[in-house]
């Protein structure tokens, strides 16, 4: 149950575990500490942006319940809050999170942020827009990125876009004809590789280097190009590992006693 014992300070409040909902609680606690995003909801600014008619959203229910839960944590009146109402809204909006099983935190965060974004999307009617591509030498990266963001805002305009989204540059070069393609795609989170135990001190550099490293493509018979994961990431100071070789199983030679046993059988 919710505890009305005052916390040490507003915002320093626990979320009760509803079964195996630590995946949800841990991510909510991270989002609640995002200053500018929480200020938006605490100031009740989300009410003027509610888009209840958006078929991609939850009719505004997810954003409203998120704001209500956030308000409790920052009210200074509770030391522990049970997110039962929020969990109910989440389960109805996304049946995959129904029940009290464990789930992936990043998957939950992606759904939550997308749901809140669509509930608060200021664009009521989304126009059709085409993707823009650079790499032909006619436009600079800055020009392509600016146009890509402008087109993105024509369909997506919310506090989530304002505070939590950016553009990720992707540069592809064809190994056969050397054609280059540069695109800028919106993103909200990055999945970074974790360092090994011996390189934990350089963890940040390894994670960033692993994510932004060059990915090599190998061409197979028939012109099919595949990504070779073994060539894409190497730890600092190490060569890229070779692709694992397939091991052939060796047939064990039967002993004289086994042969004799087989004959008697």
């Amino acid at each position: 149950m919710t505890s009305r014992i005052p916390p040490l300070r507003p915002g320093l409040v626990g979320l009760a575990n509803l079964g195996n909902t630590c995946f949800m609680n841990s991510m909510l606690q991270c989002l609640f500490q995002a200053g500018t995003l929480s200020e938006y909801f605490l100031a009740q600014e989300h009410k003027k942006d509610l888009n209840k008619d958006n078929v991609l959203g939850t009719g505004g229910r997810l954003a409203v319940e998120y704001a209500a839960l956030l308000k409790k944590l920052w009210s200074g009146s509770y030391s522990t809050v049970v997110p039962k109402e929020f969990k109910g809204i989440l389960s109805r909006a996304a049946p995959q999170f129904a029940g009290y099983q464990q789930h992936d935190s990043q998957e939950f965060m992606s759904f939550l942020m997308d749901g809140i974004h669509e509930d608060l999307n200021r664009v009521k009617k989304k126009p059709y827009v085409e993707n823009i591509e650079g790499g032909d030498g006619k436009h600079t990266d800055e020009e392509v990125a600016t146009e890509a963001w402008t087109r993105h805002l024509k369909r997506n305009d919310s506090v989530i876009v304002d505070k939590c989204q950016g553009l990720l540059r992707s540069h592809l070069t064809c190994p056969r004809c050397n054609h280059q393609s540069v695109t800028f795609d919106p993103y909200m989170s990055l999945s970074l590789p974790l360092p090994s135990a011996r390189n934990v001190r350089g963890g940040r550099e390894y994670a960033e280097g692993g994510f932004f490293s060059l990915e090599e493509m190998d061409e197979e018979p028939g012109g099919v190009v595949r990504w070779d994961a073994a060539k894409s990431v190497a730890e600092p100071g190490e060569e890229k590992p070779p692709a694992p070789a397939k091991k052939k199983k060796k047939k064990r030679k039967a002993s004289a006693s086994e042969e004799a046993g087989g004959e008697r059988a």
Side-chain angles (χ1 to χ4, degrees):
M1 59 181 297
T2 300
S3 174
R4 287 189 173 274
I5 300 175
L8 295 176
R9 62 178 177 82
L12 191 62
V13 178
L15 290 174
N17 193 9
L18 304 174
N20 293 314
T21 57
C22 52
F23 75 94
M24 179 184 78
N25 292 353
S26 60
M27 192 55 67
L28 284 174
Q29 291 285 19
C30 291
L31 293 175
F32 288 159
Q33 302 304 318
T36 56
L37 183 61
S38 293
E39 290 171 1
Y40 166 88
F41 284 100
L42 291 174
Q44 303 295 300
E45 294 184 29
H46 65 283
K47 292 183 177 181
K48 61 179 175 53
D49 290 335
L50 280 177
N51 187 349
K52 297 182 179 181
D53 298 326
N54 188 352
V55 295
L56 298 178
T58 66
R61 291 184 294 273
L62 187 63
V64 169
E65 190 54 46
Y66 177 87
L69 182 59
L70 176 67
K71 185 178 179 180
K72 283 185 178 180
L73 265 73
W74 285 93
S75 66
S77 302
Y78 309 96
S79 59
T80 304
V81 173
V82 180
K84 185 177 181 180
E85 292 79 8
F86 177 85
K87 178 64 169 59
I89 294 294
L90 174 68
S91 298
R92 286 192 290 273
Q96 66 266 32
F97 295 116
Y100 301 98
Q101 295 78 27
Q102 184 61 271
H103 293 278
D104 182 74
S105 292
Q106 187 179 23
E107 181 184 351
F108 162 71
M109 184 206 68
S110 298
F111 173 81
L112 175 62
M113 300 291 275
D114 284 340
I116 293 177
H117 158 66
E118 295 296 354
D119 279 355
L120 302 176
N121 197 346
R122 304 178 187 109
V123 179
K124 306 301 180 182
K125 187 176 181 181
K126 296 185 177 185
Y128 170 77
V129 295
E130 294 184 351
N131 295 328
I132 183 173
E133 182 178 310
D136 54 4
K138 297 180 181 179
H139 304 283
T140 65
D141 279 359
E142 184 177 357
E143 292 172 338
V144 176
T146 300
E147 181 60 26
W149 187 249
T150 300
R151 296 186 184 189
H152 179 61
L153 291 181
K154 290 181 179 180
R155 294 175 55 87
N156 304 276
D157 182 16
S158 71
V159 65
I160 300 299
V161 176
D162 297 340
K163 309 295 184 183
C164 305
Q165 288 191 3
L167 290 177
L168 189 64
R169 181 180 184 271
S170 175
H171 187 177
L172 301 178
T173 302
C174 178
R176 301 181 65 183
C177 66
N178 209 36
H179 172 76
Q180 298 189 42
S181 170
V182 176
T183 58
F184 290 85
D185 303 308
Y187 75 97
M188 198 155 41
S189 64
L190 300 176
S191 299
L192 302 179
L194 295 176
S196 62
R198 66 179 182 276
N199 286 325
V200 68
R201 291 184 178 180
R204 178 178 178 181
E205 291 77 9
Y206 171 75
E208 293 177 350
F211 183 83
F212 293 108
S213 63
L214 178 67
E215 296 179 355
E216 297 184 13
M217 311 292 283
D218 286 347
E219 185 174 348
E220 296 180 337
V224 178
V225 178
R226 67 177 177 84
W227 172 56
D228 193 342
K231 294 183 179 180
S232 64
V233 178
E235 297 194 7
E238 295 182 347
E239 295 183 356
K240 293 180 179 179
K246 293 184 178 179
K247 294 183 179 180
K248 294 183 178 180
K249 292 184 178 180
K250 293 183 178 181
K251 292 184 178 180
R252 185 173 64 87
K253 187 176 181 181
S255 62
S257 60
E258 289 176 330
E259 290 179 350
E263 292 175 0
R264 287 195 297 269

